[in-house]
Amino acid sequence: MRLYHEIHGTGFPLVLIHGAFGSTATLGDILPALAASRRVIAVDLQGHGRTPDVDRPMQSETMADDIADLLSELNIERADVMGYSLGGGVALHVASRHPGLVNKLVIVSRAYKRRGWSDETLAQMDQMGPAVGEMLKPHFAPHHKNWPTLFAKVAEGIKVDYDWTAGVRDIRAPTLLVFGSADGVRAEHPREFLGLLRDGRLEIVPGATHMTVFTPIIVPTVTAFLDAP
């Protein structure tokens, strides 16, 4: 498994991980903004963007191991890690499975258990089928080599039940959780997530949904967290 990745900027390394159906090409303004003060390693996850797919499910645990292998190849012993949505789950598992690698952790818009998502969001996940794939195709397919396979694997993965409570409790790195105020999770979930962490902070972005959480306040909020002693 070889991850396509790009390196931008200089300074302490920050691994930046996109969400489902995203890629380095869809990170927009957040990539150069974060790279203004650090060395950003932006990756394309398994089957996304310019990283080929392999014969295995798309699971956060195995994709986290891919990130650890990439850091080893780059001779990076320690880095900050930030992930959004699907990438947030990957970032969580990098920190829980490879604690020595992670200096600070930022998880954006990711529930730590499937029942953390609202009933409406779960219903939408359960309805992810070919019709939805066709609807999303014009927006995402141009960024990927094999859209039908990618969509099918992601759609299958989000229907699988999970509960990462034990992994969250194992995280040693200071962690910033970021959720939109209308992010598709249950109202109590962000604070429950915060309560599991040894060293956690929570930022709620007013008026933001799961798709609009990257508002102008994100970069200064994340940068202040990463730069703090």
Side-chain angles (χ1 to χ4, degrees):
M1 188 68 204
R2 298 190 64 83
L3 296 183
Y4 173 83
H5 61 281
E6 299 177 3
I7 299 178
H8 299 255
T10 59
F12 193 79
L14 167 66
V15 180
L16 185 59
I17 313 172
H18 61 78
F21 310 129
S23 68
T24 54
T26 63
L27 289 170
D29 295 339
I30 192 170
L31 175 53
L34 289 170
S37 59
R38 61 200 73 246
R39 180 187 179 195
V40 176
I41 300 121
V43 303
D44 286 353
L45 294 172
Q46 172 191 339
H48 288 74
R50 282 173 273 190
T51 295
D53 197 10
V54 291
D55 185 18
R56 71 180 192 195
M58 285 188 181
Q59 296 177 328
S60 296
E61 295 88 341
T62 51
M63 291 190 286
D65 293 343
D66 294 338
I67 298 291
D69 289 342
L70 174 63
L71 291 176
S72 178
E73 287 188 13
L74 295 175
N75 295 315
I76 295 174
E77 296 182 356
R78 198 162 175 83
D80 296 326
V81 180
M82 175 177 174
Y84 161 65
S85 193
L86 173 67
V90 176
L92 185 158
H93 284 291
V94 176
S96 64
R97 294 165 71 89
H98 307 276
L101 284 177
V102 181
N103 179 58
K104 289 188 178 181
L105 176 66
V106 181
I107 298 174
V108 182
S109 297
R110 181 67 197 215
Y112 70 87
K113 60 182 179 181
R114 195 168 192 266
R115 290 300 302 170
W117 299 107
S118 68
D119 289 339
E120 180 182 3
T121 301
L122 290 173
Q124 292 171 349
M125 291 178 176
D126 290 340
Q127 292 166 7
M128 291 279 281
V132 177
E134 286 300 310
M135 181 181 68
L136 296 177
K137 186 175 180 179
H139 303 284
F140 294 106
H143 301 291
H144 306 291
K145 294 179 179 179
N146 192 342
W147 171 252
T149 299
L150 172 63
F151 178 80
K153 282 194 169 183
V154 172
E156 179 183 3
I158 63 175
K159 296 171 186 176
V160 175
D161 192 22
Y162 69 93
D163 186 334
W164 299 330
T165 298
V168 174
R169 286 177 171 151
D170 286 341
I171 293 173
R172 303 175 190 170
T175 302
L176 172 65
L177 304 175
V178 181
F179 286 92
S181 60
D183 211 317
V185 296
R186 299 179 190 276
E188 67 276 11
H189 188 75
R191 295 202 175 276
E192 288 179 352
F193 198 160
L194 181 66
L196 295 174
L197 294 164
R198 301 184 188 190
D199 184 356
R201 296 155 184 77
L202 173 62
E203 180 75 23
I204 302 294
V205 183
T209 68
H210 192 77
M211 301 303 294
T212 64
V213 69
F214 286 109
T215 67
I217 73 168
I218 287 290
V219 170
T221 298
V222 170
T223 300
F225 169 72
L226 296 179
D227 287 346

